[in-house]
Amino acid sequence: MRQYFSQTTSACSALLLALFASVSLAKPLAPSPVIDLLPRQTIIPGGSPCGQNTATNRACWKNSWTVKTDYEVSYPPAFNTKVYDFHITNVSNWLGPDGVRKSAMLINGQYPGPTIEADWGDYIQVNVYNDLKDNGTSIHWHGIRQYGESNQDGVPGITECPIPPGSMKIYDFHVTQYGTSWYHSHYSNQYGNGVVGSLIVHGPASADYDIDTGPYMMSDYYYETADRLTLKAELSANGGPPDSDNIVFRGKAKAPTGSGGSYDRLVLTPGKKHLVRLINGSVDNSLTVSLVGHNFTVIATDLVPTTPVVRSSLFLGVGQRYDVIVEANQAVGNYWLNVTLETGNACGRTRNPYPAAIFSYSGASTSALPTNRGTPLVATCVGEKGFRPIVTRTLSASQFAPSTLPVSLAFHDTPRGQVFEWRVRGTPISVEWDHPVLEYILQGNNSFPAAINLVEVAGADKWVFWVIQNDLNLPHPIHLHGHDFLTLGIGSGTFNAATMMGQLDFNNPTRRDVVQMPGAGWLVIAYKTDNPGIWLMHCHIGWHVAGGLGIQFLERKAEIKSMMKLDQMQPNCNAWRKYQPTSPYLPKLDSGLKRSLNPAKMQAEDYESTVRRLW
């Protein structure tokens, strides 16, 4: 046995020596290749790998999605939940951006409120604390589609009850689009008091750029509180709406007279391409924007990526956004960003004759003002046209079977005098803050009051067409919640399908969530019934929606209860109903919002502390 083991050992040793010699003479083995995988790359769906989102590859996102990905069908999984805390407070004797003290309502003590940032596909959670003394509140996430999450849309009387003072509400929603948007209170015209901010969802783009400069919010600005201005704006004896006192740029402004405030300065890097996210967060003023010596390359309208288009100036109706690329290809220096308003007060007017901010090249003086004022523009109230979405939507003209929504102006007598009353389908919308539409759905109650101006839209995954006919010569920025809509056509006069089909564009027309409807004209839009919920459509001019210019679409009613947890609204609604009888500013007045107040016994000062109508 030992002899066999010894012989075997010797044989094995010889074999090992031979193998060692052969291996020693051979070339060394190459190491295994190192493959850098993105997080979860092996388990996430998407298209062919396209690389990282870099300055020379902006069309790609997280290696598996591109700007051509249909974001209504496919989007990245939720890598993150972005959490924010909002405390909304009253601020008395607040020193505003242009040096004038006023009363304000602010989020976390700042104006505008905190910028919300997320990546395409993330969830956003916002804990909203109402620390106001006497007012309810809410937050609407403008332009966010809220697929299957209509209860997160933030519209009192429609998707929720207002948040009463001393209470909080958690908004939790999925961002399946990307681009530039904003958020604001939808409680009366409260966002005009400062409850407003930017919302950015990072994703791919249709053109390359080097630097994302972040949100660039511009808005009208008033020294008086929004509720008092609403009461002034509705009185026909006052004529047109109140002029804004100033225009603010990223929360900064120079006083029209005196030395208060300062010009906002956005720094550009010479030779680089900058993504500038333009937002009009106004209550009333439409803005035409131009940058001396530079063009804007538009790459997105609202939250819809588009084929790049170069413009020397851009009209922004209230609520509209543009993602633009500004190339710093001029001499190092300071350049005026000018805002011009139409002079006839058809779409807003300001007391600041020259609203402006500064785009300053790195290396230029940080205190000197630009010397070239630029060529004066003649601004109008006409919206921009000619944009083609990257993700296409093309319809057949044979599908066109529209319904008409006439928009009109009437007058309503009150003890204070005659007030403007805006109507859609002959009805000034008037919602029930203490009984929102989604609560009707939760309770299986289909007895919707006529005053809430609700239209139930039939069918699923079908294209619906609306002709919005404007009977008055004032334009309106029309905003639809829950959808990006196709702008099939815009024109003057009365739309007649029998003779005007040639004026409609069914081949991938402009798509967005706010479009400017002309005065004494028409707007034809279309959207697909693919988002169960209750969706408001309204004019985004604060005075007009407060006066009734809105309608709501109930879409795929039977599916709503199974898609969202509607019972979660009950604690907040119960808290609101408990608070409502104790509020010094409630019940609200007029057209179904009036409860126990008797206008005949009220004095003018009683009205001054009361917001009359919607939101």
Side-chain angles (χ1 to χ4, degrees):
M1 184 70 177
R2 289 179 179 176
Q3 184 179 7
Y4 173 75
F5 180 80
S6 176
Q7 291 175 346
T8 303
T9 301
S10 299
C12 287
S13 298
L15 180 60
L16 286 170
L17 288 171
L19 287 171
F20 179 78
S22 65
V23 170
S24 299
L25 294 174
K27 294 181 178 179
L29 294 174
S32 299
V34 176
I35 301 174
D36 293 321
L37 295 179
L38 290 173
R40 308 188 194 183
Q41 182 176 329
T42 58
I43 62 171
I44 58 177
S48 301
C50 60
Q52 300 299 310
N53 184 263
T54 64
T56 57
N57 191 31
R58 294 297 183 189
C60 186
W61 187 253
K62 295 187 186 296
N63 197 40
S64 297
W65 288 267
T66 76
V67 72
K68 294 182 179 180
T69 302
D70 188 339
Y71 44 83
E72 293 184 0
V73 176
S74 176
Y75 39 83
F79 285 97
N80 301 288
T81 297
K82 300 298 179 69
V83 181
Y84 293 84
D85 288 328
F86 281 8
H87 287 268
I88 304 175
T89 58
N90 295 99
V91 183
S92 300
N93 200 32
W94 176 61
L95 183 62
D98 60 1
V100 176
R101 293 192 176 275
K102 56 168 284 185
S103 296
M105 297 176 179
L106 304 180
I107 301 174
N108 298 353
Q110 66 185 77
Y111 174 77
T115 296
I116 291 177
E117 292 190 72
D119 285 347
W120 183 21
D122 283 350
Y123 274 88
I124 294 174
Q125 177 184 318
V126 186
N127 307 313
V128 177
Y129 297 84
N130 183 356
D131 298 330
L132 298 169
K133 181 181 178 182
D134 294 311
N135 282 273
T137 194
S138 76
I139 300 291
H140 168 58
W141 319 99
H142 183 111
I144 300 300
R145 192 163 178 257
Q146 303 288 12
Y147 177 76
E149 299 173 332
S150 180
N151 57 329
Q152 303 300 310
D153 199 39
V155 187
I158 294 180
T159 64
E160 62 179 70
C161 295
I163 308 168
S167 295
M168 68 88 68
K169 176 181 172 66
I170 298 173
Y171 294 93
D172 189 0
F173 53 94
H174 196 188
V175 284
T176 58
Q177 308 139 279
Y178 54 89
T180 301
S181 202
W182 61 308
Y183 62 85
H184 57 84
S185 171
H186 227 302
Y187 181 94
S188 188
N189 277 322
Q190 191 177 78
Y191 82 84
N193 290 328
V195 187
V196 63
S198 301
L199 195 164
I200 305 301
V201 182
H202 298 286
S206 62
D208 290 336
Y209 59 88
D210 299 295
I211 299 168
D212 185 343
T213 64
Y216 201 92
M217 178 176 281
M218 304 165 288
S219 67
D220 52 17
Y221 183 76
Y222 301 85
Y223 300 150
E224 184 60 274
T225 58
D227 50 334
R228 290 181 181 274
L229 289 171
T230 300
L231 292 168
K232 292 178 181 178
E234 72 175 1
L235 279 174
S236 61
N238 290 336
D243 296 344
S244 66
D245 293 295
N246 212 338
I247 304 294
V248 294
F249 300 79
R250 297 199 302 173
K252 295 183 180 180
K254 192 78 171 67
T257 59
S259 58
S262 62
Y263 290 108
D264 180 63
R265 287 179 183 263
L266 179 68
V267 177
L268 304 182
T269 301
K272 299 296 185 180
K273 295 179 179 179
H274 303 76
L275 175 62
V276 181
R277 302 172 180 270
L278 300 174
I279 305 168
N280 183 356
S282 294
V283 173
D284 175 66
N285 290 177
S286 296
L287 309 174
T288 297
V289 185
S290 59
L291 178 59
V292 174
H294 299 75
N295 288 323
F296 300 126
T297 300
V298 180
I299 61 171
T301 57
D302 298 343
L303 288 171
V304 180
T306 63
T307 300
V309 174
V310 177
R311 297 286 166 88
S312 59
S313 65
L314 282 170
F315 172 91
L316 284 86
V318 179
Q320 290 188 320
R321 293 90 64 210
Y322 287 100
D323 285 2
V324 302
I325 294 174
V326 174
E327 187 172 0
N329 55 7
Q330 301 298 304
V332 171
N334 295 310
Y335 296 85
W336 286 119
L337 178 80
N338 291 315
V339 159
T340 311
L341 280 72
E342 187 263 351
T343 58
N345 199 20
C347 51
R349 188 167 59 191
T350 183
R351 293 188 176 94
N352 186 342
Y354 303 110
I358 298 171
F359 278 35
S360 181
Y361 279 51
S362 179
S365 170
T366 58
S367 59
L369 299 181
T371 56
N372 182 0
R373 294 182 61 178
T375 303
L377 297 179
V378 178
T380 69
C381 296
V382 179
E384 301 287 341
K385 301 177 183 178
F387 302 107
R388 295 293 177 182
I390 297 292
V391 177
T392 63
R393 299 282 185 268
T394 297
L395 308 180
S396 170
S398 63
Q399 298 174 262
F400 188 63
S403 299
T404 299
L405 301 173
V407 173
S408 59
L409 179 64
F411 299 93
H412 181 76
D413 290 326
T414 75
R416 292 194 311 131
Q418 194 176 69
V419 299
F420 296 115
E421 188 171 80
W422 292 98
R423 299 176 176 182
V424 181
R425 297 192 314 159
T427 300
I429 190 171
S430 181
V431 299
E432 301 173 302
W433 280 358
D434 58 351
H435 195 11
V437 173
L438 285 184
E439 191 174 47
Y440 277 84
I441 302 299
L442 173 65
Q443 297 167 347
N445 183 357
N446 294 320
S447 299
F448 303 112
I452 70 174
N453 215 8
L454 183 147
V455 174
E456 188 166 349
V457 182
D461 295 321
K462 295 182 178 179
W463 287 96
V464 292
F465 303 85
W466 303 98
V467 176
I468 308 171
Q469 184 65 55
N470 188 1
D471 293 343
L472 199 71
N473 61 355
L474 291 178
H476 300 283
I478 299 298
H479 172 48
L480 175 63
H481 294 214
H483 292 276
D484 295 319
F485 55 82
L486 281 64
T487 303
L488 301 181
I490 299 173
S492 59
T494 301
F495 180 79
N496 185 336
T499 59
M500 294 182 172
M501 287 295 289
Q503 297 184 40
L504 303 185
D505 183 2
F506 295 91
N507 183 21
N508 194 32
T510 298
R511 195 165 71 248
R512 60 190 317 163
D513 58 65
V514 182
V515 72
Q516 185 84 345
M517 178 174 66
W522 51 268
L523 165 67
V524 178
I525 67 171
Y527 65 87
K528 194 175 185 180
T529 56
D530 57 3
N531 194 5
I534 180 70
W535 306 115
L536 174 66
M537 186 173 76
H538 63 98
C539 173
H540 219 298
I541 294 173
W543 327 128
H544 294 178
V545 67
L549 208 165
I551 189 170
Q552 47 185 323
F553 300 122
L554 182 57
E555 185 174 336
R556 296 168 68 161
K557 177 179 66 177
E559 302 172 49
I560 294 174
K561 286 179 69 173
S562 63
M563 293 189 72
M564 54 199 84
K565 298 177 180 179
L566 297 183
D567 58 337
Q568 292 181 348
M569 79 172 70
Q570 293 304 121
N572 184 67
C573 279
N574 290 337
W576 175 258
R577 286 188 281 259
K578 182 179 179 180
Y579 162 75
Q580 186 170 266
T582 70
S583 169
Y585 301 130
L586 295 171
K588 296 177 293 179
L589 297 174
D590 207 11
S591 298
L593 298 175
K594 177 176 61 183
R595 299 293 194 274
S596 59
L597 294 183
N598 184 348
K601 296 180 180 180
M602 293 188 69
Q603 304 300 315
E605 58 267 23
D606 296 320
Y607 282 89
E608 284 297 314
S609 63
T610 310
V611 177
R612 173 175 167 263
R613 198 183 279 278
L614 193 58
W615 322 151

